[in-house]
Amino acid sequence: MARYDVTLDRVGGPTRTIEVDEDETVLEASRRSGIPLPYGCRTGACGTCVGRLLAIEGAESGGGATDADGAPIDVADAFAYRREPRALKPRHRNDGYVLLCIARPRANSRVAVGSRVQTELVDNPWK
């Protein structure tokens, strides 16, 4: 069984790296490691657990960034989903957003996490 390092880069907070088994979600591994991540439904429907892919083993992502060969970085290169991520539209996936409650790693990666990332994705209806 393969294991991958996933670095959780909390915007304005600490950065932590966890080992995640290939059949385990990032949320499951974070809970096993005692590192809190926000989550709600655990089915990919609510978007509370959203993160934004920043890098895959030496390639930068986000904001239309490309890898060393000039190719856009795809979230599918870093994560596979247990089920359809219903809370993400295709444009969100293209922008590097990933639902950590249902995402299983396929490569070592770095992901931005926390409430600021969620705010980037969804407007707060209570404002």
Side-chain angles (χ1 to χ4, degrees), residues 3-121:
R3 298 187 118 195
Y4 299 98
D5 289 335
V6 177
T7 299
L8 305 171
D9 191 347
R10 189 171 305 273
V11 179
T15 297
R16 309 279 295 271
T17 299
I18 58 174
E19 283 191 346
V20 187
D21 293 336
E22 64 184 346
D23 64 346
E24 183 178 41
T25 68
V26 176
L27 177 64
E28 290 168 344
S30 72
R31 291 174 54 94
R32 176 177 44 78
S33 302
I35 299 171
L37 284 178
Y39 68 93
C41 69
R42 299 178 80 167
T43 65
C46 74
T48 302
C49 65
V50 72
R52 185 169 36 82
L53 182 63
L54 299 173
I56 304 171
E57 289 199 284
E60 297 295 318
S61 180
T66 59
D67 65 16
D69 297 326
I73 295 177
D74 189 345
V75 171
D77 293 338
F79 295 100
Y81 283 116
R82 280 189 173 164
R83 62 182 67 196
E84 181 68 21
R86 293 179 290 163
L88 295 180
K89 296 177 179 170
R91 64 183 161 90
H92 297 139
R93 294 185 209 177
N94 292 340
D95 288 342
Y97 290 100
V98 59
L99 298 178
L100 301 174
C101 72
I102 57 171
R104 297 176 297 171
R106 294 293 170 259
N108 295 332
S109 61
R110 187 165 55 95
V111 179
V113 297
S115 60
R116 289 187 189 173
V117 176
Q118 186 183 28
T119 301
E120 293 172 5
L121 184 68

